[in-house]
Amino acid sequence: MKNIVLISVFTFLAFAKAHSQKATLSGTIIEEGTGETLLNVTVNIIELKTGTITNAYGYYSITLPTGAYTVQYSSIGYATVVKKISLNENVKLDLALKEQGEELDAIVITADVEKMSTKSPQMSVNALSIETIRKVPVVLGETDLIKALTLLPGVSNAGEGSAGFNVRGGSADQNLVLLDEATLYGSDHLFGFFSVFNPDAIKDLKLYKGGIPARYGGRVSSVLDIYQRDGNKQKFSGTGGIGLVSSRLLFEGPIIKEKASFLIGGRSSYAHLFLPLFDVDNVAYFYDLNAKASFNLDDNNRLYMSSYFGRDVFNVNNLFGNTFGNSFVNIRWNHIYNEKWFSNASVIYSDYNYGLELQFVEFTFDSGITNMNVKYDLTNFVNDKVKMKYGINSIYYEFDPGRIKPTTATSGINDRQLIKKYAWENGIYADGEFKISDQININAGLRISSFNRLGQESLNIYENNQPLLYNEDLEIYESATPTASFSSSRSETLKSFVNLEPRFSIAYSLDEDTSIKASYQRINQYIHLISNTNAPTPFDLYAPSGTFIEPQKGTQVAAGFFKNIGNYSIETEAFYKTVKNRLDYIDGADLIANDAVEQILLEGEARAYGLEFLLRKNEGKLQGWIAYTLSKSEQRTPGRTAMEPGINNGDWYNAAWDKTHDLTLTANYNLNKKWDLGANFTLQTGQPVTYPNGQYQFDSLFIPTYESRNSSRLPMVHRLDFSATYTPQPDKKKGWQSSWVFSLYNAYNRRNAVSISFAENEDTNRNEATRLAIFGVVPAVTYNFKF
């Protein structure tokens, strides 16, 4: 009996030891035929019902008890690979997945990219594949990433032909837009008619509306994170398209086969070339260039160099000229320390430049913002239940409010440089993904951000530190007169801020296809966009936080219900967001060439809350979604004392981009191998506006009076768009391949108002309202090709 007990004990100890020993399976997944790294590939361990996914650079790592396993590598659109492995020690397994091509329709291929995982704690994410975006009907036929995102819940813009986008009631400047980790300060061309993103160069995009991971910071509303493709490491190839108003062309191929690759692509519009035929002496066009090179130095080191340069050019009758745009250069180094540790180091230079030339008054005005960003991120794949991320980044800013230069010696304009401003922003974070049980998954992180406003050539000093005064007799705000000024070097700190930014999200799975989720985030924004328009324009002014301007502090909570039902998925979310220290300008404020913006600003607060619903059909010949958002976005700027009225008497008022109802229906139908059909219908509440409600006469002048700010609305917006994609040779997979995209924007010619203005009719001497609409029905055709 004693021997039996001893044998049982030793057997148990041996079993426990065997299962306490662990080993790591890791590797990089690429696309067969191109060498492009594949992100979000699912790696499933069949026996343990656990797994992981590849990161943004195609790398995966999972630590398991030693033993024999069946590993399944799958990504929709690629042939699934199943491997039998014996994991008695660390195993490095790199794989190339083969595109399924004709085995799946292109629409089906993209489904899983956009489908929300019910078990992941990450919520409030909008994702669209490039293939889906290409099928969305858009004005003038140019594929547009930003316009496609506005078809999903929680995302809108200020109206047709407007720049930027708004997320969950936030302003356009509260979105962090990243392209290959570099910050872009403008996401549109031609004041919102096109986005700056060349669809042929894009690999992946995600829009985080809430539950934003701790690795991101600096904007209180959202993060749009976009990655460019690396380039084909196997063979030379090209893609392009010819449209009615613009064309694009992209080349890619190996520098050293299977080791290094390049990608270079350009776009340009050319509609202005035809304007002289109609005796129109105006110019309006854009161009941009994407470039990237990637190098596999060895099994553990990869080097990437990417860049972007884009410009918009306007000229009106040789009287008014305008040039503006983004550019950046980024160098990244991936390093694998061992099976569990992956790192990425980046050095990024980016700038946004704005140039203005007024020929009729003979001067130029140039302004901009530049930054240098150094960042380092570490990922620790602890085991199949825990993954940790750590990182630091440091950004140096230079804000150039502008320089005015005369163009002739007789212009009467003096050469003047507005005072440049400098700042230094830093962040450090830790973020963890934890699988607590089969039902509970958590993502928790903490970011510590700091911002130092550095010395500058001159800074005003005001009595009682008040740059803005209230005149009680005239009942108006007035700029204070500085009592003195002082200079300081850039090595000095004028004002510093340090803030804690916790992030937390949790998912509770009710079953394999159903979960409820919740998230909380706190983010600080140190860069402010001061604008007197509803959407970003080149006339806007960027200002850093400092002595007179506090950082914006954003807090958001969200909760949602998620369910997959066969080929369908349902996502519902409710959110509540507040923003403190939201800037607003006083009546009569002048933003152009203003060297003391603190004299025209008041600090207020903003809030937004709402409900989002998304029903998506993910598979089959007919796919698409129904998206609906019910929300409210408001601002309030109370007076600083009981005697001051603030703005709108200190009452809450609708934000300029508030839209109570936002409904979108989007559908794609695969008619046959040669034809794909698309349609979308949009119905939105009209934009808030302020109308005159009366007038009074002063001497011989009639002066209007106005209602409360943004208390009225433009008429409801609705529009129906169609598209059809024709592929003449759908089975052709090599050589020259082409397709035609036919689109009809605003099919029933709805004249949606972008503004309503009031003026006196000279014939009747009566006041009349004039409705301005930009687009009627707009047909377009684009020829796409690749080789």
mmCIF file of all heavy atoms in Angstrom, residues 684-699:
data_model
loop_
_atom_site.group_PDB
_atom_site.id
_atom_site.type_symbol
_atom_site.label_atom_id
_atom_site.label_comp_id
_atom_site.label_asym_id
_atom_site.label_seq_id
_atom_site.Cartn_x
_atom_site.Cartn_y
_atom_site.Cartn_z
ATOM 1 N N GLN A 684 -29.705 62.810 -42.194
ATOM 2 C CA GLN A 684 -29.122 63.473 -41.023
ATOM 3 C C GLN A 684 -29.915 64.710 -40.638
ATOM 4 O O GLN A 684 -30.480 65.396 -41.491
ATOM 5 C CB GLN A 684 -27.674 63.903 -41.314
ATOM 6 C CG GLN A 684 -26.711 62.790 -41.613
ATOM 7 C CD GLN A 684 -25.342 63.332 -41.987
ATOM 8 O OE1 GLN A 684 -25.218 64.475 -42.434
ATOM 9 N NE2 GLN A 684 -24.315 62.522 -41.814
ATOM 10 N N THR A 685 -29.913 64.988 -39.348
ATOM 11 C CA THR A 685 -30.445 66.255 -38.854
ATOM 12 C C THR A 685 -29.587 67.398 -39.395
ATOM 13 O O THR A 685 -28.372 67.282 -39.510
ATOM 14 C CB THR A 685 -30.423 66.281 -37.320
ATOM 15 O OG1 THR A 685 -31.198 65.194 -36.825
ATOM 16 C CG2 THR A 685 -30.994 67.589 -36.789
ATOM 17 N N GLY A 686 -30.233 68.502 -39.733
ATOM 18 C CA GLY A 686 -29.510 69.651 -40.265
ATOM 19 C C GLY A 686 -28.560 70.271 -39.250
ATOM 20 O O GLY A 686 -28.732 70.158 -38.029
ATOM 21 N N GLN A 687 -27.574 70.948 -39.767
ATOM 22 C CA GLN A 687 -26.528 71.568 -38.945
ATOM 23 C C GLN A 687 -27.071 72.763 -38.155
ATOM 24 O O GLN A 687 -27.871 73.537 -38.667
ATOM 25 C CB GLN A 687 -25.420 72.028 -39.892
ATOM 26 C CG GLN A 687 -24.210 72.626 -39.237
ATOM 27 C CD GLN A 687 -23.193 73.029 -40.302
ATOM 28 O OE1 GLN A 687 -23.012 72.325 -41.295
ATOM 29 N NE2 GLN A 687 -22.561 74.156 -40.101
ATOM 30 N N PRO A 688 -26.661 72.934 -36.883
ATOM 31 C CA PRO A 688 -27.115 74.093 -36.101
ATOM 32 C C PRO A 688 -26.620 75.409 -36.698
ATOM 33 O O PRO A 688 -25.495 75.511 -37.184
ATOM 34 C CB PRO A 688 -26.489 73.854 -34.723
ATOM 35 C CG PRO A 688 -26.232 72.389 -34.674
ATOM 36 C CD PRO A 688 -25.871 71.997 -36.065
ATOM 37 N N VAL A 689 -27.488 76.414 -36.680
ATOM 38 C CA VAL A 689 -27.147 77.748 -37.188
ATOM 39 C C VAL A 689 -27.799 78.801 -36.293
ATOM 40 O O VAL A 689 -28.693 78.500 -35.495
ATOM 41 C CB VAL A 689 -27.630 77.949 -38.648
ATOM 42 C CG1 VAL A 689 -26.823 77.103 -39.616
ATOM 43 C CG2 VAL A 689 -29.116 77.658 -38.774
ATOM 44 N N THR A 690 -27.346 80.015 -36.454
ATOM 45 C CA THR A 690 -27.906 81.153 -35.727
ATOM 46 C C THR A 690 -28.519 82.115 -36.729
ATOM 47 O O THR A 690 -27.821 82.652 -37.592
ATOM 48 C CB THR A 690 -26.817 81.869 -34.911
ATOM 49 O OG1 THR A 690 -26.152 80.921 -34.065
ATOM 50 C CG2 THR A 690 -27.416 82.974 -34.068
ATOM 51 N N TYR A 691 -29.818 82.335 -36.623
ATOM 52 C CA TYR A 691 -30.523 83.196 -37.572
ATOM 53 C C TYR A 691 -30.805 84.571 -36.944
ATOM 54 O O TYR A 691 -30.957 84.688 -35.721
ATOM 55 C CB TYR A 691 -31.867 82.572 -37.971
ATOM 56 C CG TYR A 691 -31.753 81.379 -38.879
ATOM 57 C CD1 TYR A 691 -32.639 80.312 -38.768
ATOM 58 C CD2 TYR A 691 -30.783 81.321 -39.882
ATOM 59 C CE1 TYR A 691 -32.573 79.211 -39.611
ATOM 60 C CE2 TYR A 691 -30.696 80.229 -40.729
ATOM 61 C CZ TYR A 691 -31.585 79.175 -40.591
ATOM 62 O OH TYR A 691 -31.505 78.105 -41.423
ATOM 63 N N PRO A 692 -30.901 85.601 -37.765
ATOM 64 C CA PRO A 692 -31.379 86.892 -37.246
ATOM 65 C C PRO A 692 -32.868 86.791 -36.901
ATOM 66 O O PRO A 692 -33.630 86.103 -37.574
ATOM 67 C CB PRO A 692 -31.135 87.851 -38.420
ATOM 68 C CG PRO A 692 -31.094 86.986 -39.636
ATOM 69 C CD PRO A 692 -30.538 85.673 -39.189
ATOM 70 N N ASN A 693 -33.260 87.451 -35.827
ATOM 71 C CA ASN A 693 -34.672 87.409 -35.417
ATOM 72 C C ASN A 693 -35.313 88.799 -35.379
ATOM 73 O O ASN A 693 -36.432 88.963 -34.895
ATOM 74 C CB ASN A 693 -34.819 86.740 -34.059
ATOM 75 C CG ASN A 693 -34.024 87.430 -32.967
ATOM 76 O OD1 ASN A 693 -33.399 88.478 -33.200
ATOM 77 N ND2 ASN A 693 -34.028 86.852 -31.768
ATOM 78 N N GLY A 694 -34.582 89.792 -35.880
ATOM 79 C CA GLY A 694 -35.128 91.144 -35.915
ATOM 80 C C GLY A 694 -34.055 92.131 -36.347
ATOM 81 O O GLY A 694 -32.926 91.740 -36.682
ATOM 82 N N GLN A 695 -34.419 93.401 -36.362
ATOM 83 C CA GLN A 695 -33.446 94.430 -36.708
ATOM 84 C C GLN A 695 -33.885 95.754 -36.090
ATOM 85 O O GLN A 695 -35.033 95.942 -35.715
ATOM 86 C CB GLN A 695 -33.309 94.577 -38.225
ATOM 87 C CG GLN A 695 -34.576 95.052 -38.934
ATOM 88 C CD GLN A 695 -34.387 95.152 -40.433
ATOM 89 O OE1 GLN A 695 -33.461 94.593 -40.992
ATOM 90 N NE2 GLN A 695 -35.289 95.867 -41.104
ATOM 91 N N TYR A 696 -32.916 96.669 -35.965
ATOM 92 C CA TYR A 696 -33.240 98.020 -35.502
ATOM 93 C C TYR A 696 -32.424 99.009 -36.325
ATOM 94 O O TYR A 696 -31.417 98.655 -36.957
ATOM 95 C CB TYR A 696 -32.944 98.176 -34.004
ATOM 96 C CG TYR A 696 -31.491 97.995 -33.619
ATOM 97 C CD1 TYR A 696 -30.626 99.096 -33.562
ATOM 98 C CD2 TYR A 696 -30.987 96.740 -33.286
ATOM 99 C CE1 TYR A 696 -29.294 98.933 -33.198
ATOM 100 C CE2 TYR A 696 -29.670 96.570 -32.926
ATOM 101 C CZ TYR A 696 -28.823 97.675 -32.882
ATOM 102 O OH TYR A 696 -27.502 97.521 -32.531
ATOM 103 N N GLN A 697 -32.891 100.245 -36.334
ATOM 104 C CA GLN A 697 -32.261 101.268 -37.159
ATOM 105 C C GLN A 697 -31.418 102.181 -36.287
ATOM 106 O O GLN A 697 -31.855 102.667 -35.239
ATOM 107 C CB GLN A 697 -33.322 102.089 -37.912
ATOM 108 C CG GLN A 697 -32.738 103.086 -38.894
ATOM 109 C CD GLN A 697 -33.799 103.765 -39.736
ATOM 110 O OE1 GLN A 697 -34.986 103.444 -39.632
ATOM 111 N NE2 GLN A 697 -33.396 104.717 -40.575
ATOM 112 N N PHE A 698 -30.177 102.389 -36.748
ATOM 113 C CA PHE A 698 -29.278 103.333 -36.076
ATOM 114 C C PHE A 698 -28.797 104.314 -37.140
ATOM 115 O O PHE A 698 -28.070 103.938 -38.059
ATOM 116 C CB PHE A 698 -28.100 102.590 -35.442
ATOM 117 C CG PHE A 698 -27.132 103.487 -34.738
ATOM 118 C CD1 PHE A 698 -27.429 104.012 -33.493
ATOM 119 C CD2 PHE A 698 -25.918 103.828 -35.331
ATOM 120 C CE1 PHE A 698 -26.548 104.846 -32.843
ATOM 121 C CE2 PHE A 698 -25.022 104.657 -34.686
ATOM 122 C CZ PHE A 698 -25.330 105.170 -33.441
ATOM 123 N N ASP A 699 -29.231 105.598 -37.011
ATOM 124 C CA ASP A 699 -29.034 106.576 -38.080
ATOM 125 C C ASP A 699 -29.649 106.006 -39.355
ATOM 126 O O ASP A 699 -30.829 105.712 -39.381
ATOM 127 C CB ASP A 699 -27.562 106.927 -38.256
ATOM 128 C CG ASP A 699 -27.031 107.726 -37.064
ATOM 129 O OD1 ASP A 699 -27.848 108.389 -36.391
ATOM 130 O OD2 ASP A 699 -25.821 107.670 -36.804
#
